[in-house]
Amino acid sequence: MKVGVVTFPGSLDDVDAQRAVRLGGNEAVALWHGDHDLKGVDAVVLPGGFSYGDYLRCGAISRFSPVMTEVIEAAGRGMPVLGICNGFQVLCESHLLPGALIRNQRQKFLCLDQPLRIESNRTAWTSAYDEGQEVVIALKNGEGAFVADEETLDRLEGEGQVVARYLGENPNGSLRDIAGISNERGNVVGLMPHPEHSVEDLTGTGTDGLGFFTSLAAAVLA
C-alpha cells in the first residue's frame, strides 16, 4: 500500500512515521501541507510534532491546510487515516473525530514508556492486535488529555470506538483513561501515544507499535 505521511510546519515525527510505514511493509509517500494533492495514496498518517508551533490551539491551524481538505474528503470516502499525537489533535480540530485534547493534568510535558490495552481491533489500524492485548508504546505530549462531554464518552464506549486505553496510572488525565479513539466506520483513528517510536528492538520500547502499520494491508485485503 502507498501510505502518505503529511509534513506540516513544525512536524517532528514525519520521518519516523515514514520509516514505520516501510517497516510495516508499505510504501511511504511524503505529502506537503500546502498541496491539494494526496498523490494517489491508499492511506494517510498525520504525524506528531508541533504543527504551526501549536499557536492558537494544537492542530487548530493545521486543520485549514490545503492538504487537509483532501484528507477530510478522502476519509469520508473510507480512506484509512491515522493521527498520532499532534495528528490526533488535528483530527479532532477537523471534526473527523469527536472530543478535544487539552493540557496534561499535571501541566507538564511527559515522555515515558506507556502500557496500553488495545480495546478494539476492528479498525483499519488495529486489526493486527488481539482485542484486550496489552502493549507498551512510547508516549510524549504536553496536551494529551482527551476530553469530551458525557454523552460523547458514553457513545464512544457503547459503539466500541475506544481503540486504546491507558493501563496503570493515567499519565495525562484523559477521561476514562482513553488513549485513542476511532470514528464509527473505523477508518479514522486518533492515538496519543507514538507507535512509530515502538517498531524496532534496537531503539525505543520494542516493536509493540508495529501492528498499527502492518494492520493496513490486512484491512485492505480483507
Side-chain angles (χ1 to χ4, degrees):
M1 290 185 63
K2 294 174 66 177
V3 181
V5 179
V6 177
T7 297
F8 299 100
S11 293
L12 297 180
D13 300 307
D14 46 345
V15 174
D16 302 78
Q18 290 174 24
R19 179 171 177 78
V21 165
R22 290 192 293 269
L23 289 173
N26 304 291
E27 177 185 349
V29 178
L31 301 178
W32 183 241
H33 71 107
D35 294 337
H36 278 285
D37 185 5
L38 295 184
K39 300 184 179 179
V41 300
D42 304 298
V44 170
V45 175
L46 305 180
F50 303 91
S51 61
Y52 293 92
D54 280 347
Y55 295 118
L56 186 60
R57 290 187 310 276
C58 298
I61 300 177
S62 295
R63 178 260 180 273
F64 294 102
S65 294
V67 75
M68 285 306 299
T69 300
E70 312 305 322
V71 171
I72 291 168
E73 292 180 358
R77 297 192 299 268
M79 178 181 284
V81 178
L82 173 65
I84 303 169
C85 196
N86 189 232
F88 188 2
Q89 295 160 342
V90 174
L91 291 177
C92 290
E93 290 288 342
S94 302
H95 305 296
L96 287 173
L97 292 175
L101 286 306
I102 65 172
R103 287 291 297 173
N104 293 345
Q105 190 174 48
R106 297 178 183 174
Q107 302 293 305
K108 293 182 179 180
F109 185 91
L110 54 86
C111 183
L112 65 150
D113 300 345
Q114 179 62 48
L116 303 173
R117 182 171 60 244
I118 303 299
E119 300 283 21
S120 173
N121 62 359
R122 300 180 301 280
T123 80
W125 300 93
T126 57
S127 62
Y129 296 99
D130 293 327
E131 198 163 291
Q133 183 174 343
E134 296 184 6
V135 298
V136 177
I137 293 179
L139 177 70
K140 53 175 189 175
N141 62 72
E143 300 192 30
F146 178 76
V147 296
D149 58 62
E150 287 298 313
E151 180 180 352
T152 298
L153 292 170
D154 289 342
R155 185 175 71 253
L156 290 172
E157 299 270 15
E159 298 297 325
Q161 291 174 240
V162 176
V163 170
R165 207 180 303 268
Y166 298 116
L167 292 178
E169 183 180 359
N170 187 318
N172 49 31
S174 289
L175 297 180
R176 304 194 188 182
D177 299 328
I178 290 174
I181 61 172
S182 74
N183 64 348
E184 292 181 4
R185 193 170 181 175
N187 62 302
V188 179
V189 169
L191 186 72
M192 186 47 56
H194 286 260
E196 79 280 13
H197 294 325
S198 300
V199 294
E200 296 179 285
D201 283 321
L202 182 62
T203 59
T205 60
T207 62
D208 283 355
L210 192 58
F212 280 90
F213 304 97
T214 60
S215 291
L216 272 179
V220 170
L221 294 173

